[in-house]
Amino acid sequence: MRPRLGSPLAWIYLAAMFTFILLPVITLVVFSFQDGRLPVPPFKGATLDWYAKVLSDRAMMEALGNSLLVAALSAFVSLLLGFLAASGLARVLLPGSVLMRGLLIAPMTVSYLIIALGLLQMFNQIGLRPSLLATGIGHVVINLPLCFAIIYAAIGAHQRNALRAARDLGAAEWQVLLYVAAPMLAPSLAAAYFLAFTFSWDEFIIAFLLTRFDVTLPVEIWSMLRSGLSPETNAVGSLVFLVSVLIVVTLELSIFRKARK
Amino acid sequence: MSLERQEKRHGAALVAPALLWAVAFFVLPFAAMVAMSTAKMVGREIVPGPDFGNYIRIFTEPPLTRAIFVSLEITAIVTILSVLLAWPLAWIIATRVPAKWQRLALLLAVLPFWTSYVVRSYSWALVLGEKGIVMNTLVGLHILSEPVQIMATRTATVIGFTHFFVMLLTLTIYSNLVQLSPNYARAAEDLGASRWQVIRLVILPLTLPGVVTGAFLTFVLCIGDYITPQILGGNNELTLPQLIMLQLGRRGDYPMASALSVVLMAMVTLAYAGCARWLKMDRV
Amino acid sequence: MTADVRIWSVEHRFGDFTALHTVDLQIAAGEFIVLLGPSGCGKTTLLSIVGGFLSPSEGRVLIGGEDMTLVAPKDRPTTTMFQDYALFPHMSLEANVGFGLRMRGVGRRERREKALEMLDMVGLADKAARRPHELSGGQRQRVALARALAVSPDVLLLDEPLGALDLKLRRQMQLELKEIQRRVGTTFIHVTHDQEEAMAVADRIVVMNHGRIEQCGTPEEVYLSPRTLFAAGFMGEMNRLPVTPEGSGLASPLGPLALAPQTGALCLRPEDIGLEGDFSLGRARLSEAAFFGSHHRCHFTPLAAPELRLIAHLPQGAHPEIGAEVELFARNPIILPEAAA
């Protein structure tokens, strides 16, 4: 039997890659506590001043609120549309099913920049001003394929039969969706929602092009970058990172763990 | 109405809202953009076409053509580098790390994946800057006598991109690896293959779908990204997305921005056509 | 190409769990051995130890007289046919079958010849260029067999090779396996939980339970004279009655029986109970009957013990009537000690 732990080379490689992967994030977080004006070595001691500064920055807090709002709502709309479409397409073989699936998935393979540019021009023509609404619409465009794909993949033969059984037992269409499909697919629905939420929460280019006065957090951070490196930016970045990591860890501990059982 | 027709009607009703959304906010804007790409800027006015002057300019004016090549070069380097770095990492996590720790190792290996894109590029700017931690360490250890300029070069862009896509590829390759029955490796070993032969002849070919899926995603996301080259690479050499943003910002040249976007889209479509065989392939 | 296998006091533990308790087994060269038992009985663990995928906690494995306990799978004269076949999906059948030869440095032409010969043996020579996913389950199974045999192993290990096939195909493949084994003369060690499969192919059956060998013998021996209650029950249907000595005979729930005094469980196969036989079981009422083609499968309720149920196979020509009261007889009694557990 060969030993399970293999050669030291594997462990050296693992350590090197982890350093490469985690170095920027660690640097970001560490120097957000920098007691000095520049977030670069040497580390001059710890302070929470920069966090205090961020939390009392009104523009930043407004952007944070906007981001949460857009992420929550756009993720919900993506989830709803994706769920309905997935249950419809998984249920019957419609003429043109392949084409429909293709159309629903297509935005996934298109650069966000192109989607943003197209929407910008169309909104200009119909007179919809750059706004959080415009950004939210854009975020649904990019997250709908994701939600659809996750939910569609979760509907297997077993789920299909359960839905058929529900209809056979006299459930109306909405009852099938509400009482059978949604609870049965709950782990995938939650995963889809939170992924869509994080993607929207992080998204920059669509928000950059489709907002003007009310901006989202990544756009606000972007404008901070113009003033160069600052521990304040580190502090914002660390906070944003923390939120995303909390969501991922919660998902990992609750839904995915349950789903695997 | 037959029962089958009724079923289909119900199904169609469920799909309709999503399809409408996709048509209204994806297909239509895209069509509008294609139309715009054939318009022309005269002074500050947009004159509708059809006019293919923009496309002719893209392929004849060196600064514009250059951006396409810069984007393709960077994307190619990043994709290859990421695959080469990610495959061994995914393999080590899947086969060498004890099962109990695999989930954690994977979570750590992709943790920064979840930082905001803008923040991640910014943190590389922190690390790679002249006073950043890398130069500080190298100079401190007397490996370099003085800091080397990395920021605002292609190297910085490539490092920033590679960081992101190594994580993405590690995920896709890892999930491909753990789905393989352990009996493939056992069978190959049983028939006399050495450890290296098992990897080269059996495991590597079997992870090709995961590699291609990841590489395709890398290609799409990398070639269309504005943030990383803008923050890390600066304006010394422009990528296609930077050029597009420049057209919008400088004088609102929507027709040229649209034409460049159509070219970008065409490159992605070509890449998809090249990978489609692998992306769809169902293997037993 | 064949060799004998000697398993010497092999014991295997996974953490606190003992999967195999001191197993001793001698397998002759060219023998078709079946390891039979329920899931978790240790049969697959034992196979993995012979194949070299596990090293035993204690004991030794000798193949062809040589100690192989610590030899890697690829250096053993064994090959394994895996339950999921593990055919390489990215290779043609020919490349799959030729893989082992390629690893042994055999030239392209010779490899091709041998691969085609092996595919021909399993009736798939015309499909050499196909990929595994284009085949049916039974065909994949044949390819896996051809691949394992292509390197002329001394011992072939088969891990539930027919488990994924439907019943009819399984019966057919059992015949083919047996035939091919006779032709190549390789020692086959085959793991299954299906006793009919075991009887169909085995020269000797090794019945295993809870990490121990319960009995080892030809199908007739194991079926007709089981040595433990487990072996008796696992090899086929069995009626069991607790008995104690009483005078010169036996006391049983059915009343006194005219058999030599002994304590234990009286075991009777359904085909050994009927309307005639060597000794009487007393009167019983027929409560259920079904026609099975070669026999009627009948449930009898003994009048002396209405809570019991005896299963008997009556001959094809019998006309069992539900509710009828008859006197039952039996033959071939086996009395085994009650299991300690």
Side-chain angles (χ1 to χ4, degrees):
Chain A
M1 265 332 268
R2 65 157 181 252
R4 218 31 225 149
L5 298 183
S7 66
L9 202 65
W11 296 103
I12 294 169
Y13 188 81
L14 199 66
M17 286 307 286
F18 272 135
T19 311
F20 172 61
I21 287 169
L22 297 174
L23 181 67
V25 180
I26 293 169
T27 314
L28 177 81
V29 176
V30 167
F31 286 100
S32 69
F33 299 108
Q34 173 79 307
D35 195 1
R37 296 181 48 104
L38 275 179
V40 289
F43 190 65
K44 292 178 181 154
T47 172
L48 287 173
D49 288 358
W50 298 108
Y51 285 92
K53 197 165 173 217
V54 168
L55 294 177
S56 59
D57 182 337
R58 265 193 58 196
M60 190 62 75
M61 287 302 110
E62 254 171 47
L64 178 93
N66 291 341
S67 267
L68 286 175
L69 184 74
V70 170
L73 290 181
S74 75
F76 178 73
V77 175
S78 313
L79 182 72
L80 187 66
L81 295 180
F83 171 58
L84 293 179
S87 10
L89 279 177
R91 177 175 168 180
V92 279
L93 193 67
L94 295 167
S97 271
V98 178
L99 195 71
M100 289 188 205
R101 280 209 304 275
L103 180 59
L104 288 175
I105 298 285
M108 242 202 268
T109 60
V110 178
S111 305
Y112 289 1
L113 176 59
I114 295 177
I115 292 174
L117 196 59
L119 282 172
L120 178 64
Q121 292 176 26
M122 191 179 82
F123 289 159
N124 274 345
Q125 276 163 24
I126 61 173
L128 178 66
R129 320 242 42 166
S131 59
L132 292 179
L133 174 66
T135 305
I137 290 175
H139 285 181
V140 174
V141 173
I142 58 169
N143 281 327
L144 176 55
L146 184 79
C147 291
F148 169 74
I150 292 176
I151 299 166
Y152 186 76
I155 305 181
H158 169 70
Q159 280 79 2
R160 227 165 289 207
N161 284 337
L163 297 183
R164 206 169 290 158
R167 281 195 293 271
D168 187 46
L169 293 170
E173 208 49 50
W174 65 271
Q175 287 170 316
V176 174
L177 292 176
L178 194 64
Y179 297 138
V180 185
M184 191 166 57
L185 298 170
S188 315
L189 292 178
Y193 182 82
F194 284 108
L195 270 184
F197 186 96
T198 25
F199 278 28
S200 165
W201 164 257
D202 270 0
E203 199 286 325
F204 169 73
I205 196 82
I206 294 176
F208 183 63
L209 289 176
L210 295 183
T211 56
R212 189 156 300 158
F213 304 112
D214 290 323
V215 297
T216 63
L217 197 56
V219 180
E220 183 67 28
I221 296 174
W222 176 264
S223 53
M224 271 179 87
L225 294 187
R226 295 210 187 128
S227 49
L229 305 181
S230 152
E232 190 183 350
T233 316
N234 284 43
V236 182
S238 304
L239 286 175
V240 174
F241 177 51
L242 190 70
V243 171
S244 304
V245 168
L246 279 181
I247 292 177
V248 175
V249 171
T250 317
L251 269 183
E252 168 72 22
L253 290 183
S254 55
I255 298 157
F256 289 143
R257 182 142 302 177
K258 255 184 239 154
R260 262 183 285 137
K261 271 184 187 159
Chain B
M1 189 162 64
S2 79
L3 284 171
E4 288 81 4
R5 292 258 316 263
Q6 211 172 329
E7 270 286 292
K8 284 185 180 172
R9 187 167 288 203
H10 278 142
L14 293 173
V15 188
L19 279 181
L20 277 178
W21 194 283
V23 169
F25 300 116
F26 175 67
V27 178
L28 283 183
F30 189 68
M33 197 178 74
V34 173
M36 178 65 90
S37 75
T38 63
K40 183 163 74 173
M41 283 297 273
V42 178
R44 293 206 151 269
E45 293 294 305
I46 295 169
V47 182
D51 172 286
F52 296 96
N54 289 323
Y55 291 100
I56 294 168
R57 279 180 58 205
I58 291 173
F59 290 105
T60 52
E61 287 182 22
L64 300 177
T65 318
R66 177 91 195 107
I68 295 177
F69 283 102
V70 168
S71 275
L72 279 177
E73 277 166 32
I74 290 180
T75 304
I77 295 170
V78 166
T79 307
I80 292 169
L81 208 56
S82 304
V83 170
L84 290 182
L85 289 172
W87 205 96
L89 181 62
W91 186 78
I92 290 171
I93 293 178
T95 63
R96 288 288 172 268
V97 173
K100 201 162 67 165
W101 299 106
Q102 278 192 15
R103 212 60 210 169
L104 184 69
L106 194 69
L107 203 67
L108 270 181
V110 299
L111 193 65
F113 196 73
W114 304 104
T115 29
S116 125
Y117 209 99
V118 176
V119 172
R120 197 170 33 243
S121 294
Y122 167 77
S123 44
W124 272 112
L126 276 182
V127 171
L128 296 176
E130 214 168 304
K131 293 179 183 156
I133 196 157
V134 170
M135 284 308 145
N136 219 291
T137 312
L138 291 179
V139 174
L141 294 173
H142 300 289
I143 297 171
L144 293 177
S145 53
E146 58 186 71
V148 174
Q149 162 99 20
I150 296 183
M151 279 302 293
T153 67
R154 186 188 282 195
T155 311
T157 308
V158 168
I159 292 177
F161 269 138
T162 305
H163 178 242
F164 182 68
F165 294 115
V166 161
M167 295 189 277
L168 185 81
L169 279 156
T170 303
L171 269 182
T172 62
I173 297 170
Y174 172 85
S175 60
N176 196 316
L177 276 172
V178 292
Q179 276 170 17
L180 294 181
S181 158
N183 282 348
Y184 286 130
R186 279 194 206 137
E189 239 173 276
D190 189 41
L191 292 169
S194 69
R195 220 184 285 181
W196 169 239
Q197 281 173 317
V198 173
I199 292 179
R200 188 169 59 90
L201 297 174
V202 179
I203 308 297
L204 204 57
L206 289 178
T207 54
L208 219 51
V211 170
V212 176
T213 309
F216 174 69
L217 278 175
T218 305
F219 183 91
V220 173
L221 295 173
C222 187
I223 205 162
D225 184 43
Y226 166 69
I227 303 164
T228 305
Q230 183 67 22
I231 295 182
L232 297 175
N235 288 320
N236 292 332
E237 61 173 7
L238 293 184
T239 61
L240 200 45
Q242 284 177 294
L243 190 64
I244 293 172
M245 293 297 280
L246 201 66
Q247 303 304 317
L248 289 183
R250 196 197 287 152
R251 47 175 209 145
D253 190 343
Y254 281 89
M256 183 46 109
S258 300
L260 288 167
S261 298
V262 171
V263 171
L264 177 59
M265 179 74 190
M267 294 199 290
V268 172
T269 310
L270 277 180
Y272 178 76
C275 299
R277 196 168 95 80
W278 301 96
L279 290 174
K280 273 195 219 151
M281 198 159 69
D282 312 312
R283 281 162 169 266
V284 186
Chain C
M1 297 296 245
T2 184
D4 65 321
V5 177
R6 176 95 219 243
I7 295 161
W8 254 32
S9 309
V10 160
E11 185 170 319
H12 194 74
R13 291 179 296 267
F14 295 108
D16 294 339
F17 173 70
T18 306
L20 286 178
H21 300 271
T22 335
V23 167
D24 278 288
L25 187 62
Q26 190 142 19
I27 298 166
E31 212 177 358
F32 199 136
I33 283 276
V34 171
L35 305 181
L36 174 70
S39 60
C41 72
K43 57 190 193 296
T44 301
T45 308
L46 186 57
L47 195 77
S48 301
I49 287 173
V50 177
F53 297 104
L54 283 176
S55 36
S57 311
E58 314 276 344
R60 292 201 287 151
V61 176
L62 279 70
I63 300 173
E66 277 182 66
D67 190 341
M68 291 284 164
T69 318
L70 295 173
V71 175
K74 66 185 181 108
D75 300 321
R76 294 189 186 210
T78 59
T79 47
T80 299
M81 195 177 137
F82 294 90
Q83 189 171 12
D84 57 4
Y85 312 143
L87 294 177
F88 306 131
H90 57 293
M91 295 181 192
S92 68
L93 300 195
E94 187 191 319
N96 261 290
V97 175
F99 187 85
L101 299 169
R102 182 172 166 203
M103 293 304 104
R104 282 159 177 73
V106 175
R108 191 178 292 264
R109 179 181 299 177
E110 200 180 328
R111 215 156 70 202
R112 187 183 158 81
E113 237 164 62
K114 179 77 180 172
L116 288 178
E117 182 193 320
M118 296 313 289
L119 282 171
D120 191 43
M121 181 182 77
V122 296
L124 289 170
D126 55 325
K127 297 197 167 57
R130 300 272 182 96
R131 296 281 178 94
H133 67 265
E134 298 172 73
L135 303 183
S136 68
Q139 290 173 328
R140 280 182 217 173
Q141 195 269 341
R142 290 191 180 99
V143 177
L145 182 65
R147 183 177 73 177
L149 286 176
V151 295
S152 314
D154 293 341
V155 182
L156 181 70
L157 309 173
L158 305 100
D159 183 10
E160 305 234 6
L162 308 179
L165 307 180
D166 63 51
L167 192 67
K168 208 168 168 188
L169 197 53
R170 203 150 71 205
R171 299 285 173 253
Q172 182 195 335
M173 287 310 301
Q174 288 160 5
L175 286 177
E176 283 185 31
L177 266 185
K178 181 87 189 165
E179 213 178 279
I180 287 173
Q181 193 263 346
R182 276 216 193 92
R183 202 167 346 145
V184 297
T186 303
T187 309
F188 274 34
I189 306 180
H190 178 127
V191 158
T192 183
H193 56 261
D194 176 355
Q195 99 277 358
E196 282 188 44
E197 180 172 313
M199 289 198 265
V201 298
D203 293 329
R204 268 198 307 154
I205 295 175
V206 178
V207 182
M208 296 184 66
N209 190 30
H210 293 310
R212 291 192 169 84
I213 292 180
E214 296 267 335
Q215 186 171 4
C216 177
T218 63
E220 288 92 335
E221 280 166 7
V222 180
Y223 186 83
L224 296 176
S225 23
R227 275 222 300 272
T228 65
L229 277 177
F230 179 82
F234 202 80
M235 282 302 287
E237 212 164 12
M238 192 61 105
N239 292 291
R240 273 170 61 177
L241 293 166
V243 290
T244 46
E246 190 186 62
S248 63
L250 281 177
S252 82
L254 307 181
L257 299 177
L259 291 170
Q262 213 174 338
T263 303
L266 170 63
C267 297
L268 294 167
R269 296 273 180 213
E271 63 270 26
D272 290 331
I273 299 180
L275 302 180
E276 49 202 54
D278 299 343
F279 60 97
S280 168
L281 295 176
R283 293 189 71 77
R285 180 186 292 113
L286 178 65
S287 56
E288 195 100 46
F291 182 60
F292 269 64
S294 58
H295 61 268
H296 294 268
R297 187 171 190 275
C298 300
H299 291 193
F300 284 100
T301 310
L303 296 187
E307 75 284 358
L308 291 185
R309 201 182 58 174
L310 293 176
I311 294 167
H313 291 177
L314 298 190
Q316 206 176 36
H319 296 284
E321 255 176 72
I322 293 185
E325 276 184 32
V326 294
E327 179 164 13
L328 286 179
F329 290 88
R331 57 169 76 89
N332 299 334
I334 305 155
I335 297 178
L336 295 169
E338 289 282 0

